[in-house]
């Protein structure tokens, strides 16, 4: 409950009634779809019923056909193919998808994952040399490489073909983009003739498309073999992990991959996936984007943060069950270690933020640095600081010859551009609008902090620092039944670009005295009434509001209806995200 929070409700549309009729769904669901930009009945139908047929033809991605033909040739010639991945979940799953595909098609395949702290992100020249020395005939990057101009030159010089597949931003050097010189650059936003309809495909998604086209190239047809088709359906589970963990928008094709992948996770035939699910205590459960984002992805990421991500790829590619379980158990341990380290750094970071008076109005962005902070977790800590202060935050691990920093932003503040503006104090930087990384000499850190703060003061308005709560549609209490809860569920998987539906309930009456619940009374249990309908509500972290609420009072709620099971009886209750009283 944030008293400063601004509620943002889309206007009701006259078209909702008709659309609801066409779709055979309630006007409330129709209104919600309209508010999310879905107007055409066909578009809405495929949203409500995702199908694998909605996946775009892989050959629409420029140079993907060329890449698939080259991989197919390497498979036939038994040339050694090395997949060069990345240490995050997207890179790990992308590597596993392509590895299984090449194995399935009879190829000779290995993988290389750079070490997060020792080698850093992306294709590096030393690694390319080593891979060539080890006898690779073809190198295929996944989830990285689009800016690797010098490393690509090494492969060229050694006479080893290189295919780059990536989804990150490329450098524009004023005279148009500069590509690495290699056999093919496969990128969903690189247009040559046709523009690929899904610019937001993640690294695992691109690898999935490449695997698919390689299957077509091997069977010399527009269709893949039956057994390879089964593999591709299986691989959507890996693609879903990458898609959800990489926080690409869960709409269109990405949502289709996430939807099918999530439903396949539970019964996945991949030994490593089952080991991972078991280690997280989720065996047999139906899994959604929450389980992936908060339970499975952190375990996969822990490998790269605390040790070497190569282990996570080994887990997802091995058929040896005891080995997969051994790695999953180890990841469990690394994840716990990550949590401990994160907690320590977060506590120190919050303390430093308080000393620097970061909550004050004239502080618009937060830069914190500490000696001994673990570079593997600074990105997560930056996210936590943004959550807490709702201001852009950069966390720098000092103590080495070169400090490593990681930042997260708020909507409207382009972090990568901001770093550009302060670039004279930095040794290197790069990233996107919402997330970026940097390297800084310890003696330059204070200058950087000051200049970044000044830049933020000039560019961030007080309005940008106000949190907004997006309400999907206004609803009446009597409409909230089990059918509606199920209809709302069909709008998932939820995540970035497809947020959980939030309903606006206006003028409901407090039907009983509110009660503080939870071990330390942090949460609030309420009963509300509107007309003849009475409903139980749970408001997390709203315990402190208890004394201000009185029976009979009229309030507005931002809430999501959910099914609650108690003593064998199920009923609809409301999970309250925010509430306002009339005198506010
Ligand atoms: Mn990625």
């Amino acid at each position: 409950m944030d008293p400063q929070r601004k509620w943002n409700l889309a206007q009701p549309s006259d078209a909702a009634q008709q659309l609801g009729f066409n779709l055979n769904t309630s006007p409330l669901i129709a209104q919600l779809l309209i508010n999310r930009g879905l107007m055409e009945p066909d578009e809405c139908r495929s949203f409500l019923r995702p199908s694998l047929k909605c996946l775009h033809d892989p050959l629409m991605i420029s140079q993907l056909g060329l890449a698939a033909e080259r991989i197919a040739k390497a498979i036939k010639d038994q040339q050694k193919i090395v997949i060069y991945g990345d240490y995050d979940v997207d890179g790990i799953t992308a590597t596993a998808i392509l590895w299984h595909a090449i194995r399935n098609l009879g190829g000779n395949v290995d993988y290389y994952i750079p070490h997060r702290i020792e080698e850093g992100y992306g294709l590096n020249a030393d690694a390319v040399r080593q891979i060539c020395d080890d006898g690779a005939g073809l190198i295929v990057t996944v989830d990285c490489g689009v800016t690797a101009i010098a490393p690509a030159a090494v492969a060229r010089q050694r006479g080893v073909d290189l295919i780059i597949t990536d989804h990150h931003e490329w450098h524009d050097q004023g005279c148009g983009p500069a590509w690495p010189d290699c056999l093919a650059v496969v990128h969903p936003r690189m247009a040559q003739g046709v523009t690929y309809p899904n610019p937001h495909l993640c690294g695992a998604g691109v690898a999935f498309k490449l695997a698919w086209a390689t299957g077509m190239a091997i069977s010399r047809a527009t269709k893949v073999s039956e057994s390879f088709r089964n593999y591709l359906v299986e691989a959507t589970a890996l693609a879903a992990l990458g898609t959800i963990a990489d926080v690409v928008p869960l709409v269109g094709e990405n949502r289709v991959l996430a939807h099918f992948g999530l439903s396949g996770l539970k019964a996945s035939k991949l030994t490593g996936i089952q080991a991972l699910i078991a280690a997280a205590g989720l065996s047999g459960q139906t899994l959604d984007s929450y389980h992936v984002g908060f339970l499975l992805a952190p375990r996969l990421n822990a490998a790269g943060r605390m040790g070497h991500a190569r282990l996570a790829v080994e887990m997802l590619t091995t058929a040896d069950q005891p080995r997969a379980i051994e790695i999953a158990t180890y990841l469990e341990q690394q994840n716990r270690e990550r949590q401990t380290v994160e907690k320590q750094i977060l506590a120190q970071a919050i303390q430093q933020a308080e000393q620097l008076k970061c909550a004050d109005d004239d502080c618009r962005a937060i830069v914190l640095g500490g000696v001994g902070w673990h570079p593997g977790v600074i990105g997560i800590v930056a996210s936590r600081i943004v959550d807490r202060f709702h201001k852009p935050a950069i966390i720098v691990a000092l103590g080495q010859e070169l400090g490593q920093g990681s930042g997260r932003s708020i909507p409207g503040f382009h972090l990568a551009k901001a770093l550009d503006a302060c670039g004279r104090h930095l040794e290197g930087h790069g990233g996107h609008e919402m997330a970026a990384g940097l390297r800084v000499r310890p003696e330059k850190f204070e200058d950087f902090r000051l200049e970044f703060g000044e830049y933020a003061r000039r560019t961030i308005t007080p309005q940008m620092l106000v949190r907004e709560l997006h309400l999907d549609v206004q609803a009446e209490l009597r409409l909230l039944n089990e059918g509606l809860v199920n209809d709302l569920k069909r709008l998932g998987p939820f995540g970035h670009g497809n947020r959980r539906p939030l309903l606006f309930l206006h003028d409901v009456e407090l039907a009983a005295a509110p009660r503080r619940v939870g071990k330390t009374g942090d949460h609030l249990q309420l009963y509300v009434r509107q007309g003849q309908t009475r409903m139980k509500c749970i408001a997390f972290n709203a315990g402190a509001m208890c004394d201000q609420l009185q029976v009979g009072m009229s309030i507005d709620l931002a809430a999501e209806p959910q099914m609650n099971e108690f003593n064998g009886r199920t009923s609809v209750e409301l999970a309250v995200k925010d509430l306002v009283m009339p005198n506010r």
Side-chain angles (χ1 to χ4, degrees):
M1 306 295 142
D2 178 352
Q4 302 297 316
R5 189 139 65 169
K6 192 175 134 207
W7 287 20
N8 207 333
L9 176 68
Q11 286 304 306
S13 150
D14 298 336
Q17 201 79 31
Q18 184 61 41
L19 183 67
F21 180 76
N22 283 341
L23 296 171
N24 191 20
T25 182
S26 69
L28 193 147
I29 295 290
Q31 181 66 62
L32 205 152
L33 291 169
I34 290 171
N35 292 348
R36 291 187 175 196
L38 295 155
M39 302 287 184
E40 300 301 324
D42 281 345
E43 219 180 353
C44 294
R45 260 180 224 113
S46 55
F47 190 86
L48 294 173
R49 244 177 245 288
S51 155
L52 286 172
K53 289 196 187 82
C54 298
L55 297 178
H56 307 299
D57 178 358
L59 298 179
M60 287 173 79
I61 302 179
S62 93
Q63 302 196 4
L64 188 137
L66 180 66
E69 289 295 340
R70 180 64 185 86
I71 297 171
K73 185 179 180 308
I75 292 172
K76 282 177 183 154
D77 297 348
Q78 286 298 303
Q79 247 181 338
K80 181 174 168 189
I81 305 166
V82 175
I83 303 166
Y84 189 104
D86 181 34
Y87 40 68
D88 71 357
V89 176
D90 192 28
I92 290 165
T93 52
T95 306
I97 289 169
L98 199 56
W99 186 94
H100 281 290
I102 295 170
R103 257 302 171 89
N104 254 288
L105 298 168
N108 170 4
V109 60
D110 199 357
Y111 53 87
Y112 183 99
I113 309 291
H115 189 278
R116 183 191 281 262
I117 294 160
E118 284 160 21
E119 292 171 86
Y121 172 75
L123 188 65
N124 72 74
D126 285 339
V128 172
R129 272 182 215 109
Q130 192 197 316
I131 293 165
C132 292
D133 287 344
D134 291 345
L138 174 64
I139 304 172
V140 186
T141 72
V142 290
D143 196 32
C144 69
V146 76
T147 59
I149 293 170
V154 173
R156 179 67 89 196
Q157 185 203 339
R158 296 287 295 266
V160 174
D161 278 345
L162 169 67
I163 293 167
I164 284 173
T165 83
D166 200 353
H167 74 122
H168 292 89
E169 296 303 320
W170 55 77
H171 290 316
D172 208 319
Q173 303 193 324
C175 48
W179 305 108
D181 172 30
C182 61
L183 189 100
V185 179
V186 179
H187 192 295
R189 288 190 297 284
M190 181 173 148
Q192 273 189 349
V194 237
T195 305
Y196 189 65
N198 175 17
H200 304 297
L201 202 59
C202 67
V206 176
F208 178 84
K209 292 302 176 99
L210 182 58
W212 178 355
T214 305
M216 294 196 285
I218 288 280
S219 54
R220 301 240 153 270
T222 52
K223 275 198 169 162
V224 299
S225 70
E226 180 72 25
S227 73
F228 196 71
R229 188 189 180 277
N230 292 339
Y231 163 66
L232 287 174
V233 174
E234 190 72 40
T236 59
L238 291 167
L241 292 176
T243 300
I244 293 165
D246 228 44
V247 214
V248 290
L250 288 183
V251 294
E253 182 174 65
N254 290 344
R255 183 167 163 270
V256 174
L257 282 172
H259 170 89
F260 282 95
L262 283 171
S263 60
L265 265 177
K266 185 169 144 182
S268 172
K269 291 189 192 74
L270 297 176
T271 315
I273 289 209
Q274 284 309 338
L276 176 69
I277 291 174
L282 297 171
S283 293
Q285 282 191 48
T286 301
L287 303 175
D288 64 22
S289 49
Y290 166 81
H291 299 106
V292 169
F294 290 90
L295 300 170
L296 300 181
R299 286 171 163 82
L300 286 174
N301 264 330
R305 294 190 190 285
M306 311 308 290
H308 204 308
R310 198 184 155 84
L311 267 180
V313 178
E314 188 188 340
M315 180 180 73
L316 294 180
T317 50
T318 187
D320 178 350
Q321 198 191 30
R323 178 62 180 151
I325 292 172
E326 186 184 8
I327 297 174
T329 311
Y330 182 63
L331 293 185
E332 205 57 31
Q333 209 180 308
Q334 286 188 313
N335 193 40
R336 271 197 294 271
E337 196 180 312
R338 187 271 302 169
Q339 285 166 333
T340 309
V341 170
E342 179 192 320
K343 226 180 255 167
Q344 288 167 351
I345 299 176
L346 181 61
Q348 292 172 16
I350 289 172
Q351 200 182 21
Q352 194 179 111
E354 280 163 0
Q355 279 163 4
L356 293 166
K357 301 195 178 351
C358 291
D360 287 6
D361 287 344
D362 65 325
C363 169
R364 303 276 159 86
I366 300 169
V367 179
L368 308 170
V371 172
W373 287 0
H374 194 300
V377 301
I378 50 177
I380 316 179
V381 173
S383 300
R384 305 265 187 265
I385 294 290
V386 174
D387 286 346
R388 192 179 174 106
F389 293 91
H390 197 63
K391 293 173 183 178
I394 294 176
I395 305 294
V396 183
L398 297 166
Q400 303 285 325
E401 196 182 322
L402 219 51
Q404 258 196 69
S406 184
R408 298 290 182 271
S409 196
I410 58 167
F413 184 69
H414 199 300
L415 192 56
K417 281 186 188 157
L419 291 180
D420 263 341
C422 310
R424 64 190 179 111
H425 302 298
L426 301 174
E427 294 301 306
H429 61 279
H432 306 282
E433 189 171 347
M434 298 299 286
L438 61 86
R439 283 192 306 261
V440 62
R441 299 209 160 277
E443 64 272 21
K444 295 270 190 79
F445 175 70
E446 279 307 326
D447 290 340
F448 166 70
R449 168 142 74 185
L450 283 174
E451 187 164 344
F452 190 83
E454 280 306 319
Y455 178 87
R457 244 185 300 282
R458 285 197 307 275
T459 49
I460 296 177
T461 62
Q463 290 87 334
M464 284 163 72
L465 298 179
V466 175
R467 279 176 217 260
E468 280 185 55
L469 196 65
H470 293 276
L471 297 152
D472 282 286
V473 61
Q474 184 167 349
E476 282 164 46
L477 220 49
R478 66 181 171 85
L479 298 173
L480 311 185
N481 53 30
E482 188 169 2
L484 183 79
V485 173
N486 290 333
D487 283 348
L488 290 172
K489 220 182 252 172
R490 281 171 64 194
L491 307 176
F494 303 114
H496 179 59
N498 193 39
R499 58 179 187 270
R500 300 194 74 84
L502 198 57
L503 307 183
F504 174 54
L505 292 130
H506 178 56
D507 198 13
V508 296
E509 187 194 331
L510 213 50
R515 213 159 61 86
R516 293 184 80 144
V517 292
K519 263 187 204 143
T520 47
D522 289 347
H523 315 307
L524 205 56
Q525 192 187 72
L526 309 164
Y527 281 93
V528 295
R529 179 166 48 213
Q530 190 175 49
Q532 302 297 311
T533 317
R534 187 183 144 101
M535 200 169 278
K536 185 179 166 188
C537 310
I538 178 82
F540 290 105
N541 301 314
M545 292 183 89
C546 194
D547 298 340
Q548 305 161 49
L549 297 165
Q550 289 130 30
V551 182
M553 192 184 238
S554 160
I555 53 176
D556 288 352
L557 301 176
E560 185 186 0
Q562 59 188 24
M563 297 313 296
N564 182 43
E565 205 186 303
F566 186 70
N567 274 346
R569 278 178 51 195
T570 56
S571 58
V572 179
E573 68 170 42
L574 283 170
V576 176
K577 295 285 174 296
D578 203 4
L579 70 83
V580 281
M581 291 167 274
N583 57 349
R584 194 180 100 168

